[in-house]
Amino acid sequence: SPTNLSLTDRGTGNRRCAVPSTPIAAMESARENEYDSWGLTHYSGATCFFLDLYSSCVSVFGILKSVQTLAVAFVAIGAPCFFFFYRESDGNELSFNMNWTLISIAVLFPLTMSVTSAFARRERAIQDLAVLNANLISIFLAHRDWDWGTPGKNRASQLPPTHVGLMAQEVATLIGTITRLLQAPNVNKARHDFTAPGLRNCTRVQKQMDLLDSQIQGHFGQMSIFVEDLKRAGLPGNEASRIRQYFTVALSAYMHLRSIKSYRTPQGIRTFARIFILLTPIVMGPYYAYLAGAGDSDGVGLPFACFFSFLASMSMQGLFAVRLKMEDPFSDGERKAGRDTIDLDRHFGALNRLVRKELPIESSQGEGNTSEGVATKYTVV
């Protein structure tokens, strides 16, 4: 039938290649070809479910793995036990029914809103990194490939042979310095404002970040000078203006990334949530004792009450931990918080590979992500 013929053969009626006769068959064929082309392993639905469930459990354990989680778990289990066995001097017990509205308003609502705000910061950082990456690639390609074709003033006869190599070295060093700055430790926590060790470490990191920022400004300035070399070699003014536009957009994206790195979501919400997550099991202790069946109430037993308290506290602690891990969207190998953070080395990979092809031999053999005058490791509490 005509539906089994290619478009080029319908006029002649010659069958040269068969195509699926139905859209569903075409989709299934395309899906199989896609898996085969990527070298993916086929799994059944049940296998995928158990693999995802295992991965989720590992992820939850990694998120909750902290000293604060242990403290919250201890309080969550200890508070119901204390109020269940507590007796006043007159024999009365502290067990009564309570409403969860206060907990929802005081803890859960601010936590969910702050998680949303932290995720929005991460998404904006990804957009700025994409803009920075694209414009740096455009700037480098302009220096490497653009030719204005003026008789007697083409780039080959006017530019020095080391121009592209020096530009590549400048871009590679700029990428390494920006990566170094964005991977600096987080020094915007409460302990960095109210404790002596935290203040000392905050001062050290801020000084190094200021040094890195000045180096980045210097690299942008040197790249701007290279544009003047192109103009002296005969680059038309309109083309130079276009490169200047690339510079403006790239510098604007960097400054926004610098602001995201320097400023955080409100510290008051973090402090408030941290304290109230610890206090919630104590405040709700009489309710857990009531739930367990203390006094004359018909309860479900102390073990289930402790489990319910533990589950409620872990839910709040999990939200708080996710919010903290997303507070700084940039992460290196030592502080990697999972897929929710931005892998800068991978993000700048294409640009790094592009410029390293043009680097001088002695420069390409060195380390690209090390900035002079800045320590290669941070030590922060």
Side-chain angles (χ1 to χ4, degrees):
S1 63
T3 58
N4 289 328
L5 301 178
S6 63
L7 292 177
T8 57
D9 295 331
R10 288 182 179 177
T12 60
N14 297 324
R15 177 177 294 186
R16 290 165 51 186
C17 62
V19 297
S21 57
T22 63
I24 297 178
M27 292 172 58
E28 293 178 351
S29 176
R31 188 182 298 111
E32 292 178 358
N33 293 333
E34 179 183 0
Y35 271 78
D36 293 338
S37 64
W38 287 99
L40 300 180
T41 304
H42 295 268
Y43 294 108
S44 63
T47 303
C48 292
F49 168 76
F50 286 108
L51 289 176
D52 291 338
L53 182 62
Y54 167 77
S55 302
S56 299
C57 293
V58 173
S59 178
V60 168
F61 177 78
I63 291 173
L64 292 176
K65 185 176 60 176
S66 66
V67 177
Q68 181 173 344
T69 301
L70 293 177
V72 171
F74 176 79
V75 176
I77 297 175
C81 296
F82 172 79
F83 285 98
F84 182 80
F85 293 106
Y86 177 78
R87 295 289 189 278
E88 294 182 353
S89 58
D90 55 359
N92 293 329
E93 298 170 339
L94 285 177
S95 62
F96 48 85
N97 196 4
M98 297 179 64
N99 197 311
W100 282 82
T101 304
L102 175 63
I103 304 302
S104 301
I105 296 176
V107 181
L108 294 180
F109 181 73
L111 272 179
T112 53
M113 294 301 295
S114 62
V115 168
T116 303
S117 175
F119 185 79
R121 284 163 46 87
R122 171 186 175 272
E123 293 302 300
R124 180 58 191 270
I126 292 176
Q127 294 177 9
D128 288 325
L129 282 170
V131 171
L132 176 63
N133 204 18
N135 282 273
L136 288 179
I137 291 177
S138 299
I139 293 171
F140 177 73
L141 292 180
H143 285 268
R144 192 191 70 175
D145 300 332
W146 285 11
D147 193 354
W148 36 98
T150 304
K153 288 188 176 183
N154 61 333
R155 62 178 293 129
S157 62
Q158 297 296 321
L159 289 176
T162 58
H163 178 82
V164 177
L166 293 175
M167 184 64 188
Q169 185 173 359
E170 204 68 37
V171 174
T173 309
L174 174 65
I175 296 171
T177 311
I178 292 177
T179 301
R180 188 82 184 109
L181 184 143
L182 296 180
Q183 289 180 345
N186 182 3
V187 289
N188 290 275
K189 299 179 180 179
R191 64 172 178 265
H192 297 118
D193 291 332
F194 301 105
T195 65
L199 286 172
R200 286 195 299 268
N201 288 322
C202 180
T203 303
R204 293 170 186 169
V205 173
Q206 290 295 340
K207 286 183 179 179
Q208 295 186 35
M209 290 181 65
D210 291 341
L211 177 59
L212 288 169
D213 184 69
S214 64
Q215 292 179 357
I216 291 171
Q217 300 296 335
H219 293 312
F220 273 111
Q222 185 60 43
M223 291 166 60
S224 178
I225 294 176
F226 286 148
V227 178
E228 297 300 317
D229 294 339
L230 293 179
K231 291 170 62 179
R232 283 191 291 269
L235 180 70
N238 60 332
E239 301 295 338
S241 176
R242 182 177 302 178
I243 299 178
R244 295 293 186 189
Q245 291 178 355
Y246 297 153
F247 268 105
T248 301
V249 177
L251 188 57
S252 176
Y254 160 70
M255 295 303 294
H256 197 275
L257 290 170
R258 179 74 165 86
S259 299
I260 293 177
K261 183 66 181 180
S262 300
Y263 299 97
R264 297 288 188 266
T265 52
Q267 187 183 106
I269 295 179
R270 301 197 302 268
T271 305
F272 184 84
R274 189 190 302 273
I275 294 176
F276 265 77
I277 288 174
L278 281 171
L279 293 179
T280 295
I282 301 175
V283 174
M284 299 297 295
Y287 169 76
Y288 294 131
Y290 170 83
L291 185 66
D296 297 332
S297 62
D298 295 330
V300 295
L302 182 60
F304 182 81
C306 291
F307 173 75
F308 183 74
S309 174
F310 174 81
L311 188 63
S313 296
M314 287 300 103
S315 300
M316 292 184 288
Q317 175 62 20
L319 284 174
F320 184 69
V322 169
R323 185 228 182 283
L324 286 183
K325 289 183 180 296
M326 293 180 61
E327 183 69 21
D328 187 358
F330 312 105
S331 182
D332 60 13
E334 295 180 356
R335 299 180 292 107
K336 193 169 184 179
R339 293 185 179 273
D340 291 332
T341 54
I342 303 172
D343 188 348
L344 294 174
D345 294 331
R346 182 179 180 182
H347 182 85
F348 288 121
L351 180 56
N352 259 319
R353 290 189 294 270
L354 177 65
V355 299
R356 286 186 180 279
K357 295 179 182 179
E358 307 295 338
L359 285 175
I361 297 178
E362 60 274 10
S363 298
S364 60
Q365 292 177 349
E367 296 190 13
N369 285 346
T370 302
S371 303
E372 294 184 7
V374 180
T376 58
K377 294 291 182 182
Y378 290 104
T379 301
V380 173
V381 176

mmCIF file with all atom_site columns, all heavy atoms in Angstrom, residues 195-218:
data_model
loop_
_atom_site.group_PDB
_atom_site.id
_atom_site.type_symbol
_atom_site.label_atom_id
_atom_site.label_alt_id
_atom_site.label_comp_id
_atom_site.label_asym_id
_atom_site.label_entity_id
_atom_site.label_seq_id
_atom_site.pdbx_PDB_ins_code
_atom_site.Cartn_x
_atom_site.Cartn_y
_atom_site.Cartn_z
_atom_site.occupancy
_atom_site.B_iso_or_equiv
_atom_site.pdbx_formal_charge
_atom_site.auth_seq_id
_atom_site.auth_comp_id
_atom_site.auth_asym_id
_atom_site.auth_atom_id
_atom_site.pdbx_PDB_model_num
ATOM 1   N N   . THR A 1 195 ? 30.186 33.640 66.381 1.00 0.00 ? 195 THR A N   1
ATOM 2   C CA  . THR A 1 195 ? 31.252 32.927 67.081 1.00 0.00 ? 195 THR A CA  1
ATOM 3   C C   . THR A 1 195 ? 32.601 33.399 66.568 1.00 0.00 ? 195 THR A C   1
ATOM 4   O O   . THR A 1 195 ? 32.747 33.770 65.395 1.00 0.00 ? 195 THR A O   1
ATOM 5   C CB  . THR A 1 195 ? 31.130 31.403 66.882 1.00 0.00 ? 195 THR A CB  1
ATOM 6   O OG1 . THR A 1 195 ? 31.324 31.083 65.492 1.00 0.00 ? 195 THR A OG1 1
ATOM 7   C CG2 . THR A 1 195 ? 29.761 30.908 67.331 1.00 0.00 ? 195 THR A CG2 1
ATOM 8   N N   . ALA A 1 196 ? 33.599 33.367 67.444 1.00 0.00 ? 196 ALA A N   1
ATOM 9   C CA  . ALA A 1 196 ? 34.943 33.835 67.073 1.00 0.00 ? 196 ALA A CA  1
ATOM 10  C C   . ALA A 1 196 ? 35.573 32.970 65.982 1.00 0.00 ? 196 ALA A C   1
ATOM 11  O O   . ALA A 1 196 ? 36.126 33.513 65.004 1.00 0.00 ? 196 ALA A O   1
ATOM 12  C CB  . ALA A 1 196 ? 35.834 33.887 68.318 1.00 0.00 ? 196 ALA A CB  1
ATOM 13  N N   . PRO A 1 197 ? 35.551 31.618 66.078 1.00 0.00 ? 197 PRO A N   1
ATOM 14  C CA  . PRO A 1 197 ? 36.119 30.822 64.974 1.00 0.00 ? 197 PRO A CA  1
ATOM 15  C C   . PRO A 1 197 ? 35.409 31.066 63.649 1.00 0.00 ? 197 PRO A C   1
ATOM 16  O O   . PRO A 1 197 ? 36.054 31.126 62.596 1.00 0.00 ? 197 PRO A O   1
ATOM 17  C CB  . PRO A 1 197 ? 35.937 29.376 65.463 1.00 0.00 ? 197 PRO A CB  1
ATOM 18  C CG  . PRO A 1 197 ? 35.805 29.473 66.931 1.00 0.00 ? 197 PRO A CG  1
ATOM 19  C CD  . PRO A 1 197 ? 35.101 30.767 67.184 1.00 0.00 ? 197 PRO A CD  1
ATOM 20  N N   . GLY A 1 198 ? 34.078 31.205 63.700 1.00 0.00 ? 198 GLY A N   1
ATOM 21  C CA  . GLY A 1 198 ? 33.347 31.463 62.467 1.00 0.00 ? 198 GLY A CA  1
ATOM 22  C C   . GLY A 1 198 ? 33.697 32.798 61.846 1.00 0.00 ? 198 GLY A C   1
ATOM 23  O O   . GLY A 1 198 ? 33.844 32.916 60.624 1.00 0.00 ? 198 GLY A O   1
ATOM 24  N N   . LEU A 1 199 ? 33.879 33.829 62.677 1.00 0.00 ? 199 LEU A N   1
ATOM 25  C CA  . LEU A 1 199 ? 34.261 35.147 62.156 1.00 0.00 ? 199 LEU A CA  1
ATOM 26  C C   . LEU A 1 199 ? 35.640 35.109 61.511 1.00 0.00 ? 199 LEU A C   1
ATOM 27  O O   . LEU A 1 199 ? 35.864 35.740 60.474 1.00 0.00 ? 199 LEU A O   1
ATOM 28  C CB  . LEU A 1 199 ? 34.215 36.171 63.288 1.00 0.00 ? 199 LEU A CB  1
ATOM 29  C CG  . LEU A 1 199 ? 32.822 36.613 63.764 1.00 0.00 ? 199 LEU A CG  1
ATOM 30  C CD1 . LEU A 1 199 ? 32.932 37.470 65.014 1.00 0.00 ? 199 LEU A CD1 1
ATOM 31  C CD2 . LEU A 1 199 ? 32.108 37.390 62.654 1.00 0.00 ? 199 LEU A CD2 1
ATOM 32  N N   . ARG A 1 200 ? 36.573 34.381 62.131 1.00 0.00 ? 200 ARG A N   1
ATOM 33  C CA  . ARG A 1 200 ? 37.922 34.296 61.560 1.00 0.00 ? 200 ARG A CA  1
ATOM 34  C C   . ARG A 1 200 ? 37.898 33.616 60.194 1.00 0.00 ? 200 ARG A C   1
ATOM 35  O O   . ARG A 1 200 ? 38.512 34.100 59.233 1.00 0.00 ? 200 ARG A O   1
ATOM 36  C CB  . ARG A 1 200 ? 38.848 33.536 62.508 1.00 0.00 ? 200 ARG A CB  1
ATOM 37  C CG  . ARG A 1 200 ? 39.267 34.325 63.743 1.00 0.00 ? 200 ARG A CG  1
ATOM 38  C CD  . ARG A 1 200 ? 40.448 33.663 64.433 1.00 0.00 ? 200 ARG A CD  1
ATOM 39  N NE  . ARG A 1 200 ? 40.106 32.312 64.878 1.00 0.00 ? 200 ARG A NE  1
ATOM 40  C CZ  . ARG A 1 200 ? 39.630 32.025 66.076 1.00 0.00 ? 200 ARG A CZ  1
ATOM 41  N NH1 . ARG A 1 200 ? 39.403 33.007 66.955 1.00 0.00 ? 200 ARG A NH1 1
ATOM 42  N NH2 . ARG A 1 200 ? 39.361 30.777 66.418 1.00 0.00 ? 200 ARG A NH2 1
ATOM 43  N N   . ASN A 1 201 ? 37.180 32.507 60.112 1.00 0.00 ? 201 ASN A N   1
ATOM 44  C CA  . ASN A 1 201 ? 37.111 31.793 58.838 1.00 0.00 ? 201 ASN A CA  1
ATOM 45  C C   . ASN A 1 201 ? 36.366 32.594 57.778 1.00 0.00 ? 201 ASN A C   1
ATOM 46  O O   . ASN A 1 201 ? 36.726 32.566 56.601 1.00 0.00 ? 201 ASN A O   1
ATOM 47  C CB  . ASN A 1 201 ? 36.436 30.440 59.044 1.00 0.00 ? 201 ASN A CB  1
ATOM 48  C CG  . ASN A 1 201 ? 37.331 29.460 59.782 1.00 0.00 ? 201 ASN A CG  1
ATOM 49  O OD1 . ASN A 1 201 ? 38.538 29.436 59.559 1.00 0.00 ? 201 ASN A OD1 1
ATOM 50  N ND2 . ASN A 1 201 ? 36.748 28.673 60.666 1.00 0.00 ? 201 ASN A ND2 1
ATOM 51  N N   . CYS A 1 202 ? 35.332 33.309 58.194 1.00 0.00 ? 202 CYS A N   1
ATOM 52  C CA  . CYS A 1 202 ? 34.598 34.148 57.248 1.00 0.00 ? 202 CYS A CA  1
ATOM 53  C C   . CYS A 1 202 ? 35.505 35.232 56.673 1.00 0.00 ? 202 CYS A C   1
ATOM 54  O O   . CYS A 1 202 ? 35.493 35.502 55.470 1.00 0.00 ? 202 CYS A O   1
ATOM 55  C CB  . CYS A 1 202 ? 33.382 34.761 57.937 1.00 0.00 ? 202 CYS A CB  1
ATOM 56  S SG  . CYS A 1 202 ? 32.384 35.837 56.880 1.00 0.00 ? 202 CYS A SG  1
ATOM 57  N N   . THR A 1 203 ? 36.324 35.833 57.529 1.00 0.00 ? 203 THR A N   1
ATOM 58  C CA  . THR A 1 203 ? 37.246 36.874 57.070 1.00 0.00 ? 203 THR A CA  1
ATOM 59  C C   . THR A 1 203 ? 38.265 36.316 56.088 1.00 0.00 ? 203 THR A C   1
ATOM 60  O O   . THR A 1 203 ? 38.580 36.936 55.062 1.00 0.00 ? 203 THR A O   1
ATOM 61  C CB  . THR A 1 203 ? 37.953 37.512 58.269 1.00 0.00 ? 203 THR A CB  1
ATOM 62  O OG1 . THR A 1 203 ? 36.967 38.039 59.174 1.00 0.00 ? 203 THR A OG1 1
ATOM 63  C CG2 . THR A 1 203 ? 38.870 38.627 57.821 1.00 0.00 ? 203 THR A CG2 1
ATOM 64  N N   . ARG A 1 204 ? 38.793 35.120 56.381 1.00 0.00 ? 204 ARG A N   1
ATOM 65  C CA  . ARG A 1 204 ? 39.785 34.516 55.488 1.00 0.00 ? 204 ARG A CA  1
ATOM 66  C C   . ARG A 1 204 ? 39.196 34.230 54.107 1.00 0.00 ? 204 ARG A C   1
ATOM 67  O O   . ARG A 1 204 ? 39.808 34.549 53.078 1.00 0.00 ? 204 ARG A O   1
ATOM 68  C CB  . ARG A 1 204 ? 40.297 33.216 56.110 1.00 0.00 ? 204 ARG A CB  1
ATOM 69  C CG  . ARG A 1 204 ? 41.108 33.395 57.386 1.00 0.00 ? 204 ARG A CG  1
ATOM 70  C CD  . ARG A 1 204 ? 41.351 32.063 58.048 1.00 0.00 ? 204 ARG A CD  1
ATOM 71  N NE  . ARG A 1 204 ? 42.004 32.216 59.343 1.00 0.00 ? 204 ARG A NE  1
ATOM 72  C CZ  . ARG A 1 204 ? 42.140 31.228 60.213 1.00 0.00 ? 204 ARG A CZ  1
ATOM 73  N NH1 . ARG A 1 204 ? 41.658 30.024 59.934 1.00 0.00 ? 204 ARG A NH1 1
ATOM 74  N NH2 . ARG A 1 204 ? 42.752 31.448 61.365 1.00 0.00 ? 204 ARG A NH2 1
ATOM 75  N N   . VAL A 1 205 ? 38.017 33.624 54.090 1.00 0.00 ? 205 VAL A N   1
ATOM 76  C CA  . VAL A 1 205 ? 37.411 33.272 52.810 1.00 0.00 ? 205 VAL A CA  1
ATOM 77  C C   . VAL A 1 205 ? 37.031 34.528 52.026 1.00 0.00 ? 205 VAL A C   1
ATOM 78  O O   . VAL A 1 205 ? 37.220 34.588 50.801 1.00 0.00 ? 205 VAL A O   1
ATOM 79  C CB  . VAL A 1 205 ? 36.183 32.365 53.039 1.00 0.00 ? 205 VAL A CB  1
ATOM 80  C CG1 . VAL A 1 205 ? 35.438 32.127 51.731 1.00 0.00 ? 205 VAL A CG1 1
ATOM 81  C CG2 . VAL A 1 205 ? 36.609 31.032 53.631 1.00 0.00 ? 205 VAL A CG2 1
ATOM 82  N N   . GLN A 1 206 ? 36.508 35.542 52.708 1.00 0.00 ? 206 GLN A N   1
ATOM 83  C CA  . GLN A 1 206 ? 36.142 36.774 52.020 1.00 0.00 ? 206 GLN A CA  1
ATOM 84  C C   . GLN A 1 206 ? 37.355 37.445 51.382 1.00 0.00 ? 206 GLN A C   1
ATOM 85  O O   . GLN A 1 206 ? 37.273 37.975 50.265 1.00 0.00 ? 206 GLN A O   1
ATOM 86  C CB  . GLN A 1 206 ? 35.456 37.731 52.994 1.00 0.00 ? 206 GLN A CB  1
ATOM 87  C CG  . GLN A 1 206 ? 34.063 37.296 53.436 1.00 0.00 ? 206 GLN A CG  1
ATOM 88  C CD  . GLN A 1 206 ? 33.069 37.275 52.291 1.00 0.00 ? 206 GLN A CD  1
ATOM 89  O OE1 . GLN A 1 206 ? 33.268 37.903 51.248 1.00 0.00 ? 206 GLN A OE1 1
ATOM 90  N NE2 . GLN A 1 206 ? 31.987 36.539 52.472 1.00 0.00 ? 206 GLN A NE2 1
ATOM 91  N N   . LYS A 1 207 ? 38.496 37.418 52.073 1.00 0.00 ? 207 LYS A N   1
ATOM 92  C CA  . LYS A 1 207 ? 39.710 38.007 51.498 1.00 0.00 ? 207 LYS A CA  1
ATOM 93  C C   . LYS A 1 207 ? 40.133 37.259 50.242 1.00 0.00 ? 207 LYS A C   1
ATOM 94  O O   . LYS A 1 207 ? 40.513 37.867 49.234 1.00 0.00 ? 207 LYS A O   1
ATOM 95  C CB  . LYS A 1 207 ? 40.835 37.983 52.539 1.00 0.00 ? 207 LYS A CB  1
ATOM 96  C CG  . LYS A 1 207 ? 40.676 39.004 53.650 1.00 0.00 ? 207 LYS A CG  1
ATOM 97  C CD  . LYS A 1 207 ? 41.864 38.963 54.598 1.00 0.00 ? 207 LYS A CD  1
ATOM 98  C CE  . LYS A 1 207 ? 41.722 40.016 55.697 1.00 0.00 ? 207 LYS A CE  1
ATOM 99  N NZ  . LYS A 1 207 ? 42.877 39.979 56.644 1.00 0.00 ? 207 LYS A NZ  1
ATOM 100 N N   . GLN A 1 208 ? 40.074 35.927 50.291 1.00 0.00 ? 208 GLN A N   1
ATOM 101 C CA  . GLN A 1 208 ? 40.456 35.153 49.113 1.00 0.00 ? 208 GLN A CA  1
ATOM 102 C C   . GLN A 1 208 ? 39.464 35.358 47.968 1.00 0.00 ? 208 GLN A C   1
ATOM 103 O O   . GLN A 1 208 ? 39.858 35.419 46.794 1.00 0.00 ? 208 GLN A O   1
ATOM 104 C CB  . GLN A 1 208 ? 40.546 33.679 49.485 1.00 0.00 ? 208 GLN A CB  1
ATOM 105 C CG  . GLN A 1 208 ? 41.652 33.376 50.490 1.00 0.00 ? 208 GLN A CG  1
ATOM 106 C CD  . GLN A 1 208 ? 41.822 31.892 50.745 1.00 0.00 ? 208 GLN A CD  1
ATOM 107 O OE1 . GLN A 1 208 ? 41.657 31.073 49.841 1.00 0.00 ? 208 GLN A OE1 1
ATOM 108 N NE2 . GLN A 1 208 ? 42.156 31.536 51.973 1.00 0.00 ? 208 GLN A NE2 1
ATOM 109 N N   . MET A 1 209 ? 38.191 35.474 48.300 1.00 0.00 ? 209 MET A N   1
ATOM 110 C CA  . MET A 1 209 ? 37.200 35.728 47.259 1.00 0.00 ? 209 MET A CA  1
ATOM 111 C C   . MET A 1 209 ? 37.390 37.104 46.636 1.00 0.00 ? 209 MET A C   1
ATOM 112 O O   . MET A 1 209 ? 37.220 37.268 45.421 1.00 0.00 ? 209 MET A O   1
ATOM 113 C CB  . MET A 1 209 ? 35.795 35.594 47.832 1.00 0.00 ? 209 MET A CB  1
ATOM 114 C CG  . MET A 1 209 ? 35.402 34.170 48.188 1.00 0.00 ? 209 MET A CG  1
ATOM 115 S SD  . MET A 1 209 ? 33.713 34.022 48.853 1.00 0.00 ? 209 MET A SD  1
ATOM 116 C CE  . MET A 1 209 ? 32.739 34.518 47.432 1.00 0.00 ? 209 MET A CE  1
ATOM 117 N N   . ASP A 1 210 ? 37.745 38.102 47.432 1.00 0.00 ? 210 ASP A N   1
ATOM 118 C CA  . ASP A 1 210 ? 38.027 39.430 46.882 1.00 0.00 ? 210 ASP A CA  1
ATOM 119 C C   . ASP A 1 210 ? 39.245 39.392 45.960 1.00 0.00 ? 210 ASP A C   1
ATOM 120 O O   . ASP A 1 210 ? 39.259 40.059 44.908 1.00 0.00 ? 210 ASP A O   1
ATOM 121 C CB  . ASP A 1 210 ? 38.262 40.423 48.020 1.00 0.00 ? 210 ASP A CB  1
ATOM 122 C CG  . ASP A 1 210 ? 37.001 40.720 48.807 1.00 0.00 ? 210 ASP A CG  1
ATOM 123 O OD1 . ASP A 1 210 ? 35.900 40.455 48.285 1.00 0.00 ? 210 ASP A OD1 1
ATOM 124 O OD2 . ASP A 1 210 ? 37.108 41.193 49.957 1.00 0.00 ? 210 ASP A OD2 1
ATOM 125 N N   . LEU A 1 211 ? 40.261 38.615 46.338 1.00 0.00 ? 211 LEU A N   1
ATOM 126 C CA  . LEU A 1 211 ? 41.432 38.477 45.477 1.00 0.00 ? 211 LEU A CA  1
ATOM 127 C C   . LEU A 1 211 ? 41.069 37.801 44.167 1.00 0.00 ? 211 LEU A C   1
ATOM 128 O O   . LEU A 1 211 ? 41.503 38.228 43.080 1.00 0.00 ? 211 LEU A O   1
ATOM 129 C CB  . LEU A 1 211 ? 42.521 37.685 46.213 1.00 0.00 ? 211 LEU A CB  1
ATOM 130 C CG  . LEU A 1 211 ? 43.799 37.383 45.422 1.00 0.00 ? 211 LEU A CG  1
ATOM 131 C CD1 . LEU A 1 211 ? 44.464 38.666 44.957 1.00 0.00 ? 211 LEU A CD1 1
ATOM 132 C CD2 . LEU A 1 211 ? 44.757 36.552 46.259 1.00 0.00 ? 211 LEU A CD2 1
ATOM 133 N N   . LEU A 1 212 ? 40.268 36.741 44.246 1.00 0.00 ? 212 LEU A N   1
ATOM 134 C CA  . LEU A 1 212 ? 39.819 36.069 43.031 1.00 0.00 ? 212 LEU A CA  1
ATOM 135 C C   . LEU A 1 212 ? 38.988 37.002 42.160 1.00 0.00 ? 212 LEU A C   1
ATOM 136 O O   . LEU A 1 212 ? 39.117 37.005 40.928 1.00 0.00 ? 212 LEU A O   1
ATOM 137 C CB  . LEU A 1 212 ? 39.000 34.833 43.397 1.00 0.00 ? 212 LEU A CB  1
ATOM 138 C CG  . LEU A 1 212 ? 39.768 33.633 43.960 1.00 0.00 ? 212 LEU A CG  1
ATOM 139 C CD1 . LEU A 1 212 ? 38.804 32.603 44.525 1.00 0.00 ? 212 LEU A CD1 1
ATOM 140 C CD2 . LEU A 1 212 ? 40.638 33.009 42.889 1.00 0.00 ? 212 LEU A CD2 1
ATOM 141 N N   . ASP A 1 213 ? 38.142 37.820 42.774 1.00 0.00 ? 213 ASP A N   1
ATOM 142 C CA  . ASP A 1 213 ? 37.310 38.751 42.015 1.00 0.00 ? 213 ASP A CA  1
ATOM 143 C C   . ASP A 1 213 ? 38.170 39.775 41.284 1.00 0.00 ? 213 ASP A C   1
ATOM 144 O O   . ASP A 1 213 ? 37.893 40.104 40.125 1.00 0.00 ? 213 ASP A O   1
ATOM 145 C CB  . ASP A 1 213 ? 36.332 39.446 42.960 1.00 0.00 ? 213 ASP A CB  1
ATOM 146 C CG  . ASP A 1 213 ? 35.366 40.348 42.226 1.00 0.00 ? 213 ASP A CG  1
ATOM 147 O OD1 . ASP A 1 213 ? 34.498 39.831 41.502 1.00 0.00 ? 213 ASP A OD1 1
ATOM 148 O OD2 . ASP A 1 213 ? 35.490 41.583 42.376 1.00 0.00 ? 213 ASP A OD2 1
ATOM 149 N N   . SER A 1 214 ? 39.200 40.279 41.937 1.00 0.00 ? 214 SER A N   1
ATOM 150 C CA  . SER A 1 214 ? 40.095 41.235 41.271 1.00 0.00 ? 214 SER A CA  1
ATOM 151 C C   . SER A 1 214 ? 40.832 40.577 40.107 1.00 0.00 ? 214 SER A C   1
ATOM 152 O O   . SER A 1 214 ? 41.054 41.209 39.062 1.00 0.00 ? 214 SER A O   1
ATOM 153 C CB  . SER A 1 214 ? 41.088 41.818 42.279 1.00 0.00 ? 214 SER A CB  1
ATOM 154 O OG  . SER A 1 214 ? 41.935 40.811 42.799 1.00 0.00 ? 214 SER A OG  1
ATOM 155 N N   . GLN A 1 215 ? 41.214 39.306 40.255 1.00 0.00 ? 215 GLN A N   1
ATOM 156 C CA  . GLN A 1 215 ? 41.867 38.602 39.155 1.00 0.00 ? 215 GLN A CA  1
ATOM 157 C C   . GLN A 1 215 ? 40.908 38.407 37.989 1.00 0.00 ? 215 GLN A C   1
ATOM 158 O O   . GLN A 1 215 ? 41.303 38.537 36.820 1.00 0.00 ? 215 GLN A O   1
ATOM 159 C CB  . GLN A 1 215 ? 42.396 37.256 39.643 1.00 0.00 ? 215 GLN A CB  1
ATOM 160 C CG  . GLN A 1 215 ? 43.555 37.357 40.630 1.00 0.00 ? 215 GLN A CG  1
ATOM 161 C CD  . GLN A 1 215 ? 44.026 35.997 41.111 1.00 0.00 ? 215 GLN A CD  1
ATOM 162 O OE1 . GLN A 1 215 ? 43.450 34.976 40.756 1.00 0.00 ? 215 GLN A OE1 1
ATOM 163 N NE2 . GLN A 1 215 ? 45.057 35.984 41.930 1.00 0.00 ? 215 GLN A NE2 1
ATOM 164 N N   . ILE A 1 216 ? 39.653 38.101 38.286 1.00 0.00 ? 216 ILE A N   1
ATOM 165 C CA  . ILE A 1 216 ? 38.662 37.931 37.221 1.00 0.00 ? 216 ILE A CA  1
ATOM 166 C C   . ILE A 1 216 ? 38.462 39.239 36.461 1.00 0.00 ? 216 ILE A C   1
ATOM 167 O O   . ILE A 1 216 ? 38.389 39.253 35.220 1.00 0.00 ? 216 ILE A O   1
ATOM 168 C CB  . ILE A 1 216 ? 37.337 37.430 37.822 1.00 0.00 ? 216 ILE A CB  1
ATOM 169 C CG1 . ILE A 1 216 ? 37.498 35.999 38.314 1.00 0.00 ? 216 ILE A CG1 1
ATOM 170 C CG2 . ILE A 1 216 ? 36.201 37.509 36.791 1.00 0.00 ? 216 ILE A CG2 1
ATOM 171 C CD1 . ILE A 1 216 ? 36.321 35.482 39.112 1.00 0.00 ? 216 ILE A CD1 1
ATOM 172 N N   . GLN A 1 217 ? 38.378 40.351 37.184 1.00 0.00 ? 217 GLN A N   1
ATOM 173 C CA  . GLN A 1 217 ? 38.255 41.652 36.522 1.00 0.00 ? 217 GLN A CA  1
ATOM 174 C C   . GLN A 1 217 ? 39.468 41.930 35.643 1.00 0.00 ? 217 GLN A C   1
ATOM 175 O O   . GLN A 1 217 ? 39.343 42.493 34.545 1.00 0.00 ? 217 GLN A O   1
ATOM 176 C CB  . GLN A 1 217 ? 38.094 42.756 37.576 1.00 0.00 ? 217 GLN A CB  1
ATOM 177 C CG  . GLN A 1 217 ? 36.882 42.603 38.475 1.00 0.00 ? 217 GLN A CG  1
ATOM 178 C CD  . GLN A 1 217 ? 35.578 42.704 37.720 1.00 0.00 ? 217 GLN A CD  1
ATOM 179 O OE1 . GLN A 1 217 ? 35.509 43.313 36.650 1.00 0.00 ? 217 GLN A OE1 1
ATOM 180 N NE2 . GLN A 1 217 ? 34.529 42.120 38.273 1.00 0.00 ? 217 GLN A NE2 1
ATOM 181 N N   . GLY A 1 218 ? 40.659 41.502 36.116 1.00 0.00 ? 218 GLY A N   1
ATOM 182 C CA  . GLY A 1 218 ? 41.855 41.680 35.306 1.00 0.00 ? 218 GLY A CA  1
ATOM 183 C C   . GLY A 1 218 ? 41.825 40.854 34.032 1.00 0.00 ? 218 GLY A C   1
ATOM 184 O O   . GLY A 1 218 ? 42.261 41.320 32.964 1.00 0.00 ? 218 GLY A O   1
#
